[in-house]
Amino acid sequence: MPKATRAPSILISPPPQLSAAEKARRLKDRQLWLKDVDLLQAFNELFEYMPEYRVFLKRRPGEIMFLSRAMLRTLHVEDEANLIGLTDHELTPGPLADLYQSRDEMVLRTGKPLVGVLEVWFTPEGLPEWFTCYKLPLRNRDGQTVGIIGFLKEYDHPMDLPFHEPLKTLVDYIKENLGRPITVKELAERAYLSTRQVQRLFRQEMGLNPKSFITKMRVHRAVHLLISTDLPLSEIALQVGFCDQSALTYYFRRELGLTPRRFRRAARDWKESNNCRSTL
């Protein structure tokens, strides 16, 4: 007969249940301890080891109370006290600040977090880039919403990831042919797969269907053309594979929250103000 197996021992046992009075005592003890803890300084120290995150606290829509050091470096500001109480409109070009503030207002109005939306922020060199944004309501001890806590995370765009075959072949093919229409059937023939297999492959690996992935790649390339060239919007639309300027504007606004024209103007305004700050 096979030997009976012993039940695994529990390495971590749950703590004993506390009385209501003991819970209240412990919570009060923690609150007293936290009064002497500099949490903002702790944030700064912690997120220095996580440079891909940009952390912020706001009191009202757009009104800054704290920016992590990574954001200060982007703004070329050494003393965070210079930023306390300023608004997004005083730091970033108008169209982008409008977007940031409207999303702040949504979080404060609904009390619900805004999770994983794309926003444009900047590198320390002043170049616009995509970031994934998370905003949550910040509440006081009485449960009242008194502000916003959030962070930006560098957006790992799928086009830059090391794909395995056959996805690598398909992504490379898309990148090389963005300037013309690309169909799922065409991709399937390229990889010797069925269209259903191609759909499944993209969803499993990237959480997107092929059409959505191609659109994001086109918008991503349009971003770089807008900031690195003076090409008219109609020409950029054709170069990245949209049928006309209206299509570029529609998908660009859907992905990033503002039009290509406003984005280009905002990026230029930012670069000029960034250069000014660098010379101070």
Side-chain angles (χ1 to χ4, degrees):
M1 293 181 62
K3 295 182 178 179
T5 57
R6 296 177 58 185
S9 59
I10 299 176
L11 299 180
I12 301 176
S13 57
Q17 293 294 317
L18 301 175
S19 65
E22 178 60 16
K23 287 182 181 178
R25 186 196 69 77
R26 293 191 183 189
L27 290 171
K28 184 177 180 180
D29 184 47
R30 182 179 67 179
Q31 186 172 339
L32 291 172
W33 174 72
L34 284 173
K35 286 184 177 180
D36 295 323
V37 175
D38 189 342
L39 284 179
L40 296 185
Q41 177 65 20
F43 275 175
N44 265 328
E45 298 297 333
L46 175 64
F47 283 101
E48 282 294 277
Y49 295 98
M50 305 166 69
E52 70 273 23
Y53 292 93
R54 277 80 164 158
V55 184
F56 55 86
L57 296 174
K58 296 179 181 180
R59 181 165 55 190
R60 285 187 283 273
E63 188 177 79
I64 295 162
M65 290 287 105
F66 168 83
L67 297 179
S68 62
R69 289 173 185 161
M71 299 189 85
L72 296 180
R73 286 193 290 268
T74 298
L75 294 166
H76 296 275
V77 173
E78 294 185 3
D79 187 352
E80 68 167 336
N82 293 327
L83 300 180
I84 295 174
L86 296 185
T87 66
D88 286 325
H89 282 92
E90 293 173 281
L91 294 177
T92 52
L96 294 179
D98 291 342
L99 177 65
Y100 304 156
Q101 185 167 325
S102 67
R103 288 178 169 174
D104 291 351
E105 290 170 348
M106 182 186 302
V107 172
L108 291 173
R109 184 177 65 254
T110 65
K112 296 180 180 179
L114 193 64
V115 178
V117 297
L118 287 181
E119 281 193 356
V120 177
W121 179 242
F122 299 86
T123 68
E125 295 76 31
L127 297 176
E129 240 336 323
W130 281 5
F131 288 79
T132 309
C133 182
Y134 296 76
K135 295 184 178 184
L136 297 88
L138 186 65
R139 297 183 172 91
N140 61 19
R141 298 186 187 280
D142 295 325
Q144 299 171 323
T145 300
V146 295
I148 291 170
I149 182 170
F151 66 87
L152 299 167
K153 183 180 183 299
E154 293 177 2
Y155 179 56
D156 299 321
H157 195 269
M159 73 171 68
D160 300 322
L161 297 178
F163 295 114
H164 300 292
E165 296 294 353
L167 193 58
K168 181 181 184 304
T169 294
L170 295 180
V171 171
D172 289 343
Y173 183 76
I174 291 170
K175 290 165 65 174
E176 293 167 2
N177 294 275
L178 270 185
R180 64 172 187 79
I182 304 172
T183 66
V184 178
K185 181 180 178 182
E186 182 181 348
L187 295 177
E189 292 173 351
R190 187 79 182 180
Y192 303 101
L193 299 171
S194 68
T195 55
R196 182 173 296 180
Q197 286 173 318
V198 170
Q199 296 275 9
R200 187 183 307 119
L201 179 65
F202 273 83
R203 287 198 184 96
Q204 288 176 345
E205 295 294 325
M206 290 180 289
L208 298 168
N209 61 47
K211 184 178 179 181
S212 296
F213 175 75
I214 292 169
T215 297
K216 286 183 181 295
M217 289 187 70
R218 285 178 169 148
V219 171
H220 189 268
R221 184 168 292 181
V223 164
H224 289 280
L225 289 175
L226 286 165
I227 64 178
S228 63
T229 75
D230 293 320
L231 290 172
L233 298 185
S234 57
E235 177 62 25
I236 290 176
L238 296 178
Q239 284 202 21
V240 302
F242 291 118
C243 60
D244 55 27
Q245 182 176 329
S246 296
L248 168 66
T249 298
Y250 173 81
Y251 288 107
F252 198 98
R253 180 159 47 193
R254 191 183 72 175
E255 294 291 331
L256 295 180
L258 70 168
T259 66
R261 192 180 304 279
R262 297 189 78 191
F263 171 83
R264 173 177 266 175
R265 186 168 68 248
R268 288 174 175 172
D269 290 346
W270 170 271
K271 195 167 185 63
E272 290 176 5
S273 62
N274 185 67
N275 290 336
C276 291
R277 279 193 290 266
S278 299
T279 60
L280 295 178

